[in-house]
Amino acid sequence: MKQLKYYLAAMIAFAIWGTFSLVLKPLHDYSSLDILFYRVFSCAVIMSLISALFRTQKLKENLEILNSLPKKARKRTIGLNIVSSLLLTANWFSFIYVMNHISVRATSVAYLVCPIITTILAFLILREKLNRLQWLSVALSALGCILLSYSNLMDMLYSSLIGFSYAGYLILQSINKRFDKFMILNIHIILASLILLPFFPSYSGTVPVEFRFYVLIEIIAVMYTIVPLLLNLYALSGISSSKVGMILNINPIIAFILAGAVYSEKLSLVQILAYSIIFLAVIIFNAKEILSFRRKLAD
């Protein structure tokens, strides 16, 4: 039962992200880069203000931890967080672009590919062990993705780019556990802002004047960026990245439902079968924990 809170954190985070299209689609007329610029800059300002006003002691404590590390470990930690920011920036841009200019379904496939990539990277890099049932669930997920990509290879390529960038981010955060989660995320977003800032004058459009744009951007910044990412980092502090990766499948399943129910993207029997296979894979991967929770609740 101690792990239940970490599972719930991951489930809530990915359920929130599954509804992202509801606030992103209304911004269809704005360029992907403009949405990305304002989203990241808003997150950086909000989190930095909170850190400066309410979390100065935590900042000092974490700086002391960083300075206490051996020189080699300190450089490794700094490099790890720079790469994390690059992966996060790449993931955000590719997701916004594909959502608004390719299809909602292509983004949902991306987060079906992501758990497979995460699990394989966790096995190769973090040496996380998987049992036979979990490898079976990975194979089922891969089968589902192959079925979804059968009719549209380009969608699969876009999806793989989004999936790989976030899978890499998850793996790095499994290593990056020593520091305060809010501070780490704040640093990642500040670095992302610094990466994007030189491009803003040349690649941004005219300054938006529509009030709705800023309302939606702030909702995206808080409810679809800061909150779920913090929940995600919290989940990674208590359960393995491969488990978090498989729970991530909640996101595309919700996005898939919205694609058909809200945006009238046509659904084929093959797609419904593929998503059903992937949903089954999630249950199989976490079967041991699900049965354990059920027994403890029954007691």
Side-chain angles (χ1 to χ4, degrees), residues 115-116 119-120 130-147 246 274 277-278 280-282 284-285:
I116 301 168
T119 303
I120 293 170
L130 301 175
N131 58 40
R132 289 180 180 178
L133 275 179
Q134 288 173 325
W135 277 118
L136 172 62
S137 74
V138 173
L140 285 172
S141 293
L143 174 61
C145 291
I146 291 167
L147 286 172
M246 288 305 290
I277 290 171
I278 291 164
L280 176 63
V282 177
I284 291 172
F285 193 93

Side-chain angles (χ1 to χ4, degrees), residues 105-168:
R105 188 162 295 114
T107 59
S108 69
V109 175
Y111 287 106
L112 293 172
V113 176
C114 184
I116 301 168
I117 299 171
T118 304
T119 303
I120 293 170
L121 289 178
F123 175 76
L124 295 174
I125 298 172
L126 303 178
R127 304 298 180 189
E128 291 183 4
K129 294 181 180 179
L130 301 175
N131 58 40
R132 289 180 180 178
L133 275 179
Q134 288 173 325
W135 277 118
L136 172 62
S137 74
V138 173
L140 285 172
S141 293
L143 174 61
C145 291
I146 291 167
L147 286 172
L148 287 170
S149 64
Y150 180 74
S151 61
N152 198 327
L153 183 59
M154 283 306 297
D155 273 15
M156 192 61 186
L157 291 175
Y158 282 117
S159 299
S160 298
L161 175 63
I162 299 171
F164 183 81
S165 58
Y166 196 69

Side-chain angles (χ1 to χ4, degrees), residues 15 69 131 250:
L69 294 174
N131 58 40
I250 292 171

Side-chain angles (χ1 to χ4, degrees), residues 40-56 59 182-183 185-191 193-194 226:
V40 175
F41 296 155
S42 290
C43 289
V45 170
I46 292 167
M47 295 196 77
S48 297
L49 282 173
I50 293 171
S51 294
L53 294 173
F54 306 108
R55 300 179 62 84
T56 51
L59 179 60
F182 190 93
M183 191 203 75
L185 182 57
N186 195 3
I187 288 170
H188 292 167
I189 291 175
I190 288 171
L191 288 173
S193 298
L194 294 174
I226 296 171

Side-chain angles (χ1 to χ4, degrees), residues 3 5-6 9 170 173-179 181 230-241 244:
Q3 288 190 321
K5 57 187 179 181
Y6 301 112
L170 283 177
Q173 300 330 296
S174 293
I175 302 168
N176 199 25
K177 287 184 177 180
R178 296 189 61 178
F179 301 93
K181 297 167 191 65
L230 284 174
L231 287 170
N232 210 174
L233 293 176
Y234 178 74
L236 284 166
S237 69
I239 56 179
S240 68
S241 55
V244 172

Side-chain angles (χ1 to χ4, degrees), residues 60-76:
K60 289 177 184 176
E61 289 172 5
N62 282 267
L63 284 173
E64 287 173 5
I65 293 171
L66 181 64
N67 290 327
S68 68
L69 294 174
K71 189 175 180 181
K72 187 175 180 180
R74 188 161 60 247
K75 285 183 176 179
R76 181 172 174 267

